[in-house]
Structure formats: structure tokens, C-alpha cells
Amino acid sequence: MPNQMGLASGVTLGLAISIGGIATPFLGQVADATSLITVFFILTAIALIPMGAAYFIIEPTIK
């Protein structure tokens, strides 16, 4: 998909919205069972995973 940026961005946006829609009820149940602060800690931990993975991305070399 490198030559089809519109399609790639649409797939990425659709996936993000779908995963958010699936995760929201579970996070709501966690918030009801514990507290809203716990959910914020969970969301922070989830955000740190791709940030850590992005650190290891190697920039391609042009030959």
C-alpha cells in the first residue's frame, strides 16, 4: 500500500475506530468495578506499548 496513501489512511482510521468501539465497554466495566483513575492508568499503559515499539523502528537506507 505504499502507493495508495488514501487507502492506507482509511484502513488505519477504520481499524482505530473499530478497536476503540470494542474496547470501550470493557473499560467502562473496569471503571465501574474500580475507579476512573484505574482506567486512565490502563490507557496510559496501552499507549506506552506502541511508543516503545516505535523506538526500535529502523529507518531504511537508500541504495
Side-chain angles (χ1 to χ4, degrees), residues 12-50:
T12 303
L13 183 62
L15 181 64
I17 291 172
S18 299
I19 291 175
I22 291 170
T24 301
F26 298 116
L27 292 172
Q29 286 181 344
V30 171
D32 287 340
T34 58
S35 70
L36 193 58
I37 301 297
T38 305
V39 174
F40 284 135
F41 280 125
I42 292 170
L43 290 173
T44 302
I46 291 172
L48 289 175
I49 293 169

